[in-house]
Amino acid sequence: MRRMSLFNVTSLTLVAAFLYLPILLLIIYSFNESKLVTVWGGFSTKWYGELLRNEQFLDAAWVTLKVAVISSTIATVLGTMAALVLVRAGRFIGRTLFSGMIYAPLVMPEVITGLSLLLLFIAAGVDRGATTIILAHATFSMCYVSVVVSSRLVTFDRSLEEAARDLGCTPWDAFFSVTLPIIAPAVIAGWLLAFTLSLDDLVIASFTSGPGATTLPMRIYSAVRLGVSPEINALSTILIGLVSIGVIAASLAGKRSART
C-alpha cells in the first residue's frame, strides 16, 4: 500500500478543515446556553425546544417540503419525457431549439430565471404563492432530470423493448414493464436532485413567492439579516443531520445492491 506524503496529508487536512470546520462550529454552538452565538455560555438544548415552538420556521418548513415534493415530481415526469424525445426521437424540425430550451436553465443565472418567471406570472395575471413557486422550481429543475435520465437512456439496450413488443406488448406496456424499471435508478436520482435543488433555492423563490408562501431558505435569510440566532444554528444542525443520514443510507444501500 502506497504511503501518503507529508504534502498530501497536509493538503488533505487543510481542505477538510476548510470544508467541515465551519459546519462543526455551527453544530457546537447550536448547543450554546448563551443567546450570543459567538460567546459560549454552557451546554444546553433549549434552542431546539425554542425552534419547535417557532411557528414561523415550522410553517416555512412545511411550505418548503410541500413545494419540493410536488415540484420535483412534476420535474421528473417532464424531464423524463424530454429525455425520451432527445434520445429516441431522432432528427426532427426544431430539435436544436428544443434541446437548447431544455438545457438553458443549466447555464442561466438564477436571477434572470427568477425575474423572467416573475414577469410571466404578472403578465398572465397569476397570483404569486406556493403554486407559482412550484411551477418555477419545476421549470428550472426539469433540465437536471433530463440530463440524468438521458445519460441512462443512451446506454439502454433497446433490444429488450423489441423483445417485449414481439411478445405482444404495446409501446406503453413495453415502456412501463421493461424500460421504466431499468432506468428507475436514473429517474429516482433525477427526482432526488430536483428535490434537493428545490429545498436549497432562495433566489428564484424570492421572485415568485407571495404572501403566506415563504420557504425555509427565505425565512432563514430574513432572520440572518437581523443577526444570527441560536435557533438558526439548531435548525441548520437538524438539516445537516438529516442530510448525513440520507447520504449514509444511500451509501449502505448502494453497497448492499452491489454485493447482491
mmCIF file with all atom_site columns, all heavy atoms in Angstrom, residues 220-243:
data_model
loop_
_atom_site.group_PDB
_atom_site.id
_atom_site.type_symbol
_atom_site.label_atom_id
_atom_site.label_alt_id
_atom_site.label_comp_id
_atom_site.label_asym_id
_atom_site.label_entity_id
_atom_site.label_seq_id
_atom_site.pdbx_PDB_ins_code
_atom_site.Cartn_x
_atom_site.Cartn_y
_atom_site.Cartn_z
_atom_site.occupancy
_atom_site.B_iso_or_equiv
_atom_site.pdbx_formal_charge
_atom_site.auth_seq_id
_atom_site.auth_comp_id
_atom_site.auth_asym_id
_atom_site.auth_atom_id
_atom_site.pdbx_PDB_model_num
ATOM 1   N N   . ILE A 1 220 ? -34.860 31.817 6.717  1.00 0.00 ? 220 ILE A N   1
ATOM 2   C CA  . ILE A 1 220 ? -33.528 31.846 7.331  1.00 0.00 ? 220 ILE A CA  1
ATOM 3   C C   . ILE A 1 220 ? -32.775 33.098 6.897  1.00 0.00 ? 220 ILE A C   1
ATOM 4   O O   . ILE A 1 220 ? -32.129 33.769 7.715  1.00 0.00 ? 220 ILE A O   1
ATOM 5   C CB  . ILE A 1 220 ? -32.742 30.576 6.959  1.00 0.00 ? 220 ILE A CB  1
ATOM 6   C CG1 . ILE A 1 220 ? -33.395 29.339 7.596  1.00 0.00 ? 220 ILE A CG1 1
ATOM 7   C CG2 . ILE A 1 220 ? -31.288 30.680 7.402  1.00 0.00 ? 220 ILE A CG2 1
ATOM 8   C CD1 . ILE A 1 220 ? -32.749 28.035 7.178  1.00 0.00 ? 220 ILE A CD1 1
ATOM 9   N N   . TYR A 1 221 ? -32.852 33.435 5.621  1.00 0.00 ? 221 TYR A N   1
ATOM 10  C CA  . TYR A 1 221 ? -32.145 34.624 5.129  1.00 0.00 ? 221 TYR A CA  1
ATOM 11  C C   . TYR A 1 221 ? -32.690 35.889 5.794  1.00 0.00 ? 221 TYR A C   1
ATOM 12  O O   . TYR A 1 221 ? -31.915 36.782 6.175  1.00 0.00 ? 221 TYR A O   1
ATOM 13  C CB  . TYR A 1 221 ? -32.304 34.710 3.616  1.00 0.00 ? 221 TYR A CB  1
ATOM 14  C CG  . TYR A 1 221 ? -31.624 35.912 3.001  1.00 0.00 ? 221 TYR A CG  1
ATOM 15  C CD1 . TYR A 1 221 ? -30.242 35.980 2.909  1.00 0.00 ? 221 TYR A CD1 1
ATOM 16  C CD2 . TYR A 1 221 ? -32.378 36.975 2.525  1.00 0.00 ? 221 TYR A CD2 1
ATOM 17  C CE1 . TYR A 1 221 ? -29.617 37.089 2.352  1.00 0.00 ? 221 TYR A CE1 1
ATOM 18  C CE2 . TYR A 1 221 ? -31.763 38.089 1.966  1.00 0.00 ? 221 TYR A CE2 1
ATOM 19  C CZ  . TYR A 1 221 ? -30.385 38.136 1.875  1.00 0.00 ? 221 TYR A CZ  1
ATOM 20  O OH  . TYR A 1 221 ? -29.781 39.235 1.333  1.00 0.00 ? 221 TYR A OH  1
ATOM 21  N N   . SER A 1 222 ? -34.006 35.967 5.948  1.00 0.00 ? 222 SER A N   1
ATOM 22  C CA  . SER A 1 222 ? -34.591 37.137 6.597  1.00 0.00 ? 222 SER A CA  1
ATOM 23  C C   . SER A 1 222 ? -34.162 37.236 8.053  1.00 0.00 ? 222 SER A C   1
ATOM 24  O O   . SER A 1 222 ? -33.900 38.331 8.572  1.00 0.00 ? 222 SER A O   1
ATOM 25  C CB  . SER A 1 222 ? -36.123 37.077 6.502  1.00 0.00 ? 222 SER A CB  1
ATOM 26  O OG  . SER A 1 222 ? -36.548 37.068 5.158  1.00 0.00 ? 222 SER A OG  1
ATOM 27  N N   . ALA A 1 223 ? -34.093 36.077 8.730  1.00 0.00 ? 223 ALA A N   1
ATOM 28  C CA  . ALA A 1 223 ? -33.688 36.085 10.138 1.00 0.00 ? 223 ALA A CA  1
ATOM 29  C C   . ALA A 1 223 ? -32.208 36.423 10.300 1.00 0.00 ? 223 ALA A C   1
ATOM 30  O O   . ALA A 1 223 ? -31.825 37.129 11.233 1.00 0.00 ? 223 ALA A O   1
ATOM 31  C CB  . ALA A 1 223 ? -33.997 34.727 10.766 1.00 0.00 ? 223 ALA A CB  1
ATOM 32  N N   . VAL A 1 224 ? -31.371 35.940 9.396  1.00 0.00 ? 224 VAL A N   1
ATOM 33  C CA  . VAL A 1 224 ? -29.930 36.191 9.500  1.00 0.00 ? 224 VAL A CA  1
ATOM 34  C C   . VAL A 1 224 ? -29.619 37.661 9.278  1.00 0.00 ? 224 VAL A C   1
ATOM 35  O O   . VAL A 1 224 ? -28.660 38.205 9.853  1.00 0.00 ? 224 VAL A O   1
ATOM 36  C CB  . VAL A 1 224 ? -29.169 35.307 8.490  1.00 0.00 ? 224 VAL A CB  1
ATOM 37  C CG1 . VAL A 1 224 ? -27.713 35.742 8.354  1.00 0.00 ? 224 VAL A CG1 1
ATOM 38  C CG2 . VAL A 1 224 ? -29.225 33.854 8.934  1.00 0.00 ? 224 VAL A CG2 1
ATOM 39  N N   . ARG A 1 225 ? -30.399 38.343 8.481  1.00 0.00 ? 225 ARG A N   1
ATOM 40  C CA  . ARG A 1 225 ? -30.152 39.766 8.238  1.00 0.00 ? 225 ARG A CA  1
ATOM 41  C C   . ARG A 1 225 ? -30.295 40.589 9.515  1.00 0.00 ? 225 ARG A C   1
ATOM 42  O O   . ARG A 1 225 ? -29.694 41.652 9.642  1.00 0.00 ? 225 ARG A O   1
ATOM 43  C CB  . ARG A 1 225 ? -31.132 40.284 7.182  1.00 0.00 ? 225 ARG A CB  1
ATOM 44  C CG  . ARG A 1 225 ? -30.900 39.708 5.797  1.00 0.00 ? 225 ARG A CG  1
ATOM 45  C CD  . ARG A 1 225 ? -31.919 40.216 4.807  1.00 0.00 ? 225 ARG A CD  1
ATOM 46  N NE  . ARG A 1 225 ? -31.800 41.658 4.634  1.00 0.00 ? 225 ARG A NE  1
ATOM 47  C CZ  . ARG A 1 225 ? -32.634 42.380 3.876  1.00 0.00 ? 225 ARG A CZ  1
ATOM 48  N NH1 . ARG A 1 225 ? -33.640 41.767 3.235  1.00 0.00 ? 225 ARG A NH1 1
ATOM 49  N NH2 . ARG A 1 225 ? -32.466 43.691 3.748  1.00 0.00 ? 225 ARG A NH2 1
ATOM 50  N N   . LEU A 1 226 ? -31.080 40.093 10.463 1.00 0.00 ? 226 LEU A N   1
ATOM 51  C CA  . LEU A 1 226 ? -31.241 40.780 11.743 1.00 0.00 ? 226 LEU A CA  1
ATOM 52  C C   . LEU A 1 226 ? -30.258 40.285 12.798 1.00 0.00 ? 226 LEU A C   1
ATOM 53  O O   . LEU A 1 226 ? -30.265 40.765 13.926 1.00 0.00 ? 226 LEU A O   1
ATOM 54  C CB  . LEU A 1 226 ? -32.675 40.578 12.258 1.00 0.00 ? 226 LEU A CB  1
ATOM 55  C CG  . LEU A 1 226 ? -33.797 41.083 11.343 1.00 0.00 ? 226 LEU A CG  1
ATOM 56  C CD1 . LEU A 1 226 ? -35.156 40.742 11.930 1.00 0.00 ? 226 LEU A CD1 1
ATOM 57  C CD2 . LEU A 1 226 ? -33.668 42.583 11.104 1.00 0.00 ? 226 LEU A CD2 1
ATOM 58  N N   . GLY A 1 227 ? -29.429 39.319 12.439 1.00 0.00 ? 227 GLY A N   1
ATOM 59  C CA  . GLY A 1 227 ? -28.471 38.749 13.378 1.00 0.00 ? 227 GLY A CA  1
ATOM 60  C C   . GLY A 1 227 ? -28.671 37.251 13.503 1.00 0.00 ? 227 GLY A C   1
ATOM 61  O O   . GLY A 1 227 ? -29.811 36.769 13.499 1.00 0.00 ? 227 GLY A O   1
ATOM 62  N N   . VAL A 1 228 ? -27.577 36.526 13.612 1.00 0.00 ? 228 VAL A N   1
ATOM 63  C CA  . VAL A 1 228 ? -27.657 35.071 13.704 1.00 0.00 ? 228 VAL A CA  1
ATOM 64  C C   . VAL A 1 228 ? -28.199 34.675 15.064 1.00 0.00 ? 228 VAL A C   1
ATOM 65  O O   . VAL A 1 228 ? -27.681 35.083 16.104 1.00 0.00 ? 228 VAL A O   1
ATOM 66  C CB  . VAL A 1 228 ? -26.276 34.427 13.476 1.00 0.00 ? 228 VAL A CB  1
ATOM 67  C CG1 . VAL A 1 228 ? -26.371 32.915 13.576 1.00 0.00 ? 228 VAL A CG1 1
ATOM 68  C CG2 . VAL A 1 228 ? -25.729 34.839 12.117 1.00 0.00 ? 228 VAL A CG2 1
ATOM 69  N N   . SER A 1 229 ? -29.254 33.881 15.062 1.00 0.00 ? 229 SER A N   1
ATOM 70  C CA  . SER A 1 229 ? -29.881 33.404 16.293 1.00 0.00 ? 229 SER A CA  1
ATOM 71  C C   . SER A 1 229 ? -29.473 31.958 16.556 1.00 0.00 ? 229 SER A C   1
ATOM 72  O O   . SER A 1 229 ? -29.257 31.187 15.603 1.00 0.00 ? 229 SER A O   1
ATOM 73  C CB  . SER A 1 229 ? -31.407 33.506 16.170 1.00 0.00 ? 229 SER A CB  1
ATOM 74  O OG  . SER A 1 229 ? -32.042 32.824 17.228 1.00 0.00 ? 229 SER A OG  1
ATOM 75  N N   . PRO A 1 230 ? -29.364 31.556 17.822 1.00 0.00 ? 230 PRO A N   1
ATOM 76  C CA  . PRO A 1 230 ? -29.065 30.147 18.111 1.00 0.00 ? 230 PRO A CA  1
ATOM 77  C C   . PRO A 1 230 ? -30.114 29.194 17.541 1.00 0.00 ? 230 PRO A C   1
ATOM 78  O O   . PRO A 1 230 ? -29.815 28.029 17.279 1.00 0.00 ? 230 PRO A O   1
ATOM 79  C CB  . PRO A 1 230 ? -29.054 30.101 19.643 1.00 0.00 ? 230 PRO A CB  1
ATOM 80  C CG  . PRO A 1 230 ? -28.712 31.488 20.058 1.00 0.00 ? 230 PRO A CG  1
ATOM 81  C CD  . PRO A 1 230 ? -29.356 32.379 19.041 1.00 0.00 ? 230 PRO A CD  1
ATOM 82  N N   . GLU A 1 231 ? -31.348 29.669 17.329 1.00 0.00 ? 231 GLU A N   1
ATOM 83  C CA  . GLU A 1 231 ? -32.367 28.831 16.718 1.00 0.00 ? 231 GLU A CA  1
ATOM 84  C C   . GLU A 1 231 ? -31.982 28.458 15.286 1.00 0.00 ? 231 GLU A C   1
ATOM 85  O O   . GLU A 1 231 ? -32.263 27.342 14.831 1.00 0.00 ? 231 GLU A O   1
ATOM 86  C CB  . GLU A 1 231 ? -33.716 29.549 16.729 1.00 0.00 ? 231 GLU A CB  1
ATOM 87  C CG  . GLU A 1 231 ? -34.291 29.758 18.117 1.00 0.00 ? 231 GLU A CG  1
ATOM 88  C CD  . GLU A 1 231 ? -35.641 30.439 18.056 1.00 0.00 ? 231 GLU A CD  1
ATOM 89  O OE1 . GLU A 1 231 ? -36.211 30.540 16.948 1.00 0.00 ? 231 GLU A OE1 1
ATOM 90  O OE2 . GLU A 1 231 ? -36.132 30.878 19.111 1.00 0.00 ? 231 GLU A OE2 1
ATOM 91  N N   . ILE A 1 232 ? -31.343 29.382 14.586 1.00 0.00 ? 232 ILE A N   1
ATOM 92  C CA  . ILE A 1 232 ? -30.891 29.089 13.223 1.00 0.00 ? 232 ILE A CA  1
ATOM 93  C C   . ILE A 1 232 ? -29.791 28.037 13.251 1.00 0.00 ? 232 ILE A C   1
ATOM 94  O O   . ILE A 1 232 ? -29.744 27.145 12.397 1.00 0.00 ? 232 ILE A O   1
ATOM 95  C CB  . ILE A 1 232 ? -30.411 30.379 12.544 1.00 0.00 ? 232 ILE A CB  1
ATOM 96  C CG1 . ILE A 1 232 ? -31.557 31.384 12.437 1.00 0.00 ? 232 ILE A CG1 1
ATOM 97  C CG2 . ILE A 1 232 ? -29.830 30.083 11.160 1.00 0.00 ? 232 ILE A CG2 1
ATOM 98  C CD1 . ILE A 1 232 ? -31.171 32.705 11.827 1.00 0.00 ? 232 ILE A CD1 1
ATOM 99  N N   . ASN A 1 233 ? -28.904 28.117 14.244 1.00 0.00 ? 233 ASN A N   1
ATOM 100 C CA  . ASN A 1 233 ? -27.883 27.072 14.394 1.00 0.00 ? 233 ASN A CA  1
ATOM 101 C C   . ASN A 1 233 ? -28.518 25.713 14.651 1.00 0.00 ? 233 ASN A C   1
ATOM 102 O O   . ASN A 1 233 ? -28.089 24.692 14.104 1.00 0.00 ? 233 ASN A O   1
ATOM 103 C CB  . ASN A 1 233 ? -26.941 27.423 15.543 1.00 0.00 ? 233 ASN A CB  1
ATOM 104 C CG  . ASN A 1 233 ? -26.046 28.598 15.220 1.00 0.00 ? 233 ASN A CG  1
ATOM 105 O OD1 . ASN A 1 233 ? -25.921 28.993 14.068 1.00 0.00 ? 233 ASN A OD1 1
ATOM 106 N ND2 . ASN A 1 233 ? -25.427 29.166 16.237 1.00 0.00 ? 233 ASN A ND2 1
ATOM 107 N N   . ALA A 1 234 ? -29.550 25.698 15.485 1.00 0.00 ? 234 ALA A N   1
ATOM 108 C CA  . ALA A 1 234 ? -30.243 24.438 15.775 1.00 0.00 ? 234 ALA A CA  1
ATOM 109 C C   . ALA A 1 234 ? -30.929 23.893 14.528 1.00 0.00 ? 234 ALA A C   1
ATOM 110 O O   . ALA A 1 234 ? -30.868 22.694 14.244 1.00 0.00 ? 234 ALA A O   1
ATOM 111 C CB  . ALA A 1 234 ? -31.260 24.655 16.898 1.00 0.00 ? 234 ALA A CB  1
ATOM 112 N N   . LEU A 1 235 ? -31.581 24.777 13.782 1.00 0.00 ? 235 LEU A N   1
ATOM 113 C CA  . LEU A 1 235 ? -32.238 24.353 12.544 1.00 0.00 ? 235 LEU A CA  1
ATOM 114 C C   . LEU A 1 235 ? -31.219 23.823 11.540 1.00 0.00 ? 235 LEU A C   1
ATOM 115 O O   . LEU A 1 235 ? -31.447 22.782 10.900 1.00 0.00 ? 235 LEU A O   1
ATOM 116 C CB  . LEU A 1 235 ? -33.014 25.533 11.958 1.00 0.00 ? 235 LEU A CB  1
ATOM 117 C CG  . LEU A 1 235 ? -33.689 25.301 10.604 1.00 0.00 ? 235 LEU A CG  1
ATOM 118 C CD1 . LEU A 1 235 ? -34.708 24.178 10.697 1.00 0.00 ? 235 LEU A CD1 1
ATOM 119 C CD2 . LEU A 1 235 ? -34.343 26.589 10.107 1.00 0.00 ? 235 LEU A CD2 1
ATOM 120 N N   . SER A 1 236 ? -30.105 24.508 11.404 1.00 0.00 ? 236 SER A N   1
ATOM 121 C CA  . SER A 1 236 ? -29.070 24.057 10.478 1.00 0.00 ? 236 SER A CA  1
ATOM 122 C C   . SER A 1 236 ? -28.496 22.714 10.899 1.00 0.00 ? 236 SER A C   1
ATOM 123 O O   . SER A 1 236 ? -28.210 21.859 10.048 1.00 0.00 ? 236 SER A O   1
ATOM 124 C CB  . SER A 1 236 ? -27.953 25.103 10.408 1.00 0.00 ? 236 SER A CB  1
ATOM 125 O OG  . SER A 1 236 ? -28.455 26.359 9.988  1.00 0.00 ? 236 SER A OG  1
ATOM 126 N N   . THR A 1 237 ? -28.346 22.509 12.205 1.00 0.00 ? 237 THR A N   1
ATOM 127 C CA  . THR A 1 237 ? -27.833 21.227 12.688 1.00 0.00 ? 237 THR A CA  1
ATOM 128 C C   . THR A 1 237 ? -28.793 20.095 12.362 1.00 0.00 ? 237 THR A C   1
ATOM 129 O O   . THR A 1 237 ? -28.370 18.993 11.970 1.00 0.00 ? 237 THR A O   1
ATOM 130 C CB  . THR A 1 237 ? -27.605 21.303 14.212 1.00 0.00 ? 237 THR A CB  1
ATOM 131 O OG1 . THR A 1 237 ? -26.682 22.356 14.503 1.00 0.00 ? 237 THR A OG1 1
ATOM 132 C CG2 . THR A 1 237 ? -27.055 19.989 14.747 1.00 0.00 ? 237 THR A CG2 1
ATOM 133 N N   . ILE A 1 238 ? -30.087 20.345 12.509 1.00 0.00 ? 238 ILE A N   1
ATOM 134 C CA  . ILE A 1 238 ? -31.088 19.319 12.171 1.00 0.00 ? 238 ILE A CA  1
ATOM 135 C C   . ILE A 1 238 ? -31.020 18.985 10.686 1.00 0.00 ? 238 ILE A C   1
ATOM 136 O O   . ILE A 1 238 ? -31.051 17.804 10.290 1.00 0.00 ? 238 ILE A O   1
ATOM 137 C CB  . ILE A 1 238 ? -32.489 19.800 12.566 1.00 0.00 ? 238 ILE A CB  1
ATOM 138 C CG1 . ILE A 1 238 ? -32.609 19.894 14.085 1.00 0.00 ? 238 ILE A CG1 1
ATOM 139 C CG2 . ILE A 1 238 ? -33.556 18.854 12.012 1.00 0.00 ? 238 ILE A CG2 1
ATOM 140 C CD1 . ILE A 1 238 ? -33.925 20.477 14.559 1.00 0.00 ? 238 ILE A CD1 1
ATOM 141 N N   . LEU A 1 239 ? -30.903 20.005 9.837  1.00 0.00 ? 239 LEU A N   1
ATOM 142 C CA  . LEU A 1 239 ? -30.812 19.766 8.397  1.00 0.00 ? 239 LEU A CA  1
ATOM 143 C C   . LEU A 1 239 ? -29.546 18.995 8.044  1.00 0.00 ? 239 LEU A C   1
ATOM 144 O O   . LEU A 1 239 ? -29.568 18.081 7.203  1.00 0.00 ? 239 LEU A O   1
ATOM 145 C CB  . LEU A 1 239 ? -30.841 21.100 7.651  1.00 0.00 ? 239 LEU A CB  1
ATOM 146 C CG  . LEU A 1 239 ? -32.155 21.891 7.728  1.00 0.00 ? 239 LEU A CG  1
ATOM 147 C CD1 . LEU A 1 239 ? -32.011 23.230 7.017  1.00 0.00 ? 239 LEU A CD1 1
ATOM 148 C CD2 . LEU A 1 239 ? -33.301 21.093 7.135  1.00 0.00 ? 239 LEU A CD2 1
ATOM 149 N N   . ILE A 1 240 ? -28.423 19.344 8.696  1.00 0.00 ? 240 ILE A N   1
ATOM 150 C CA  . ILE A 1 240 ? -27.179 18.615 8.454  1.00 0.00 ? 240 ILE A CA  1
ATOM 151 C C   . ILE A 1 240 ? -27.324 17.156 8.863  1.00 0.00 ? 240 ILE A C   1
ATOM 152 O O   . ILE A 1 240 ? -26.859 16.241 8.171  1.00 0.00 ? 240 ILE A O   1
ATOM 153 C CB  . ILE A 1 240 ? -26.018 19.287 9.213  1.00 0.00 ? 240 ILE A CB  1
ATOM 154 C CG1 . ILE A 1 240 ? -25.721 20.664 8.615  1.00 0.00 ? 240 ILE A CG1 1
ATOM 155 C CG2 . ILE A 1 240 ? -24.767 18.414 9.180  1.00 0.00 ? 240 ILE A CG2 1
ATOM 156 C CD1 . ILE A 1 240 ? -24.745 21.470 9.437  1.00 0.00 ? 240 ILE A CD1 1
ATOM 157 N N   . GLY A 1 241 ? -27.987 16.926 10.004 1.00 0.00 ? 241 GLY A N   1
ATOM 158 C CA  . GLY A 1 241 ? -28.207 15.556 10.449 1.00 0.00 ? 241 GLY A CA  1
ATOM 159 C C   . GLY A 1 241 ? -29.061 14.760 9.481  1.00 0.00 ? 241 GLY A C   1
ATOM 160 O O   . GLY A 1 241 ? -28.754 13.596 9.178  1.00 0.00 ? 241 GLY A O   1
ATOM 161 N N   . LEU A 1 242 ? -30.127 15.377 8.969  1.00 0.00 ? 242 LEU A N   1
ATOM 162 C CA  . LEU A 1 242 ? -30.992 14.681 8.009  1.00 0.00 ? 242 LEU A CA  1
ATOM 163 C C   . LEU A 1 242 ? -30.247 14.354 6.722  1.00 0.00 ? 242 LEU A C   1
ATOM 164 O O   . LEU A 1 242 ? -30.379 13.249 6.178  1.00 0.00 ? 242 LEU A O   1
ATOM 165 C CB  . LEU A 1 242 ? -32.224 15.539 7.716  1.00 0.00 ? 242 LEU A CB  1
ATOM 166 C CG  . LEU A 1 242 ? -33.203 15.743 8.881  1.00 0.00 ? 242 LEU A CG  1
ATOM 167 C CD1 . LEU A 1 242 ? -34.324 16.692 8.472  1.00 0.00 ? 242 LEU A CD1 1
ATOM 168 C CD2 . LEU A 1 242 ? -33.780 14.413 9.339  1.00 0.00 ? 242 LEU A CD2 1
ATOM 169 N N   . VAL A 1 243 ? -29.456 15.312 6.238  1.00 0.00 ? 243 VAL A N   1
ATOM 170 C CA  . VAL A 1 243 ? -28.689 15.071 5.015  1.00 0.00 ? 243 VAL A CA  1
ATOM 171 C C   . VAL A 1 243 ? -27.652 13.977 5.239  1.00 0.00 ? 243 VAL A C   1
ATOM 172 O O   . VAL A 1 243 ? -27.464 13.099 4.383  1.00 0.00 ? 243 VAL A O   1
ATOM 173 C CB  . VAL A 1 243 ? -28.013 16.377 4.558  1.00 0.00 ? 243 VAL A CB  1
ATOM 174 C CG1 . VAL A 1 243 ? -27.032 16.100 3.422  1.00 0.00 ? 243 VAL A CG1 1
ATOM 175 C CG2 . VAL A 1 243 ? -29.060 17.387 4.112  1.00 0.00 ? 243 VAL A CG2 1
#
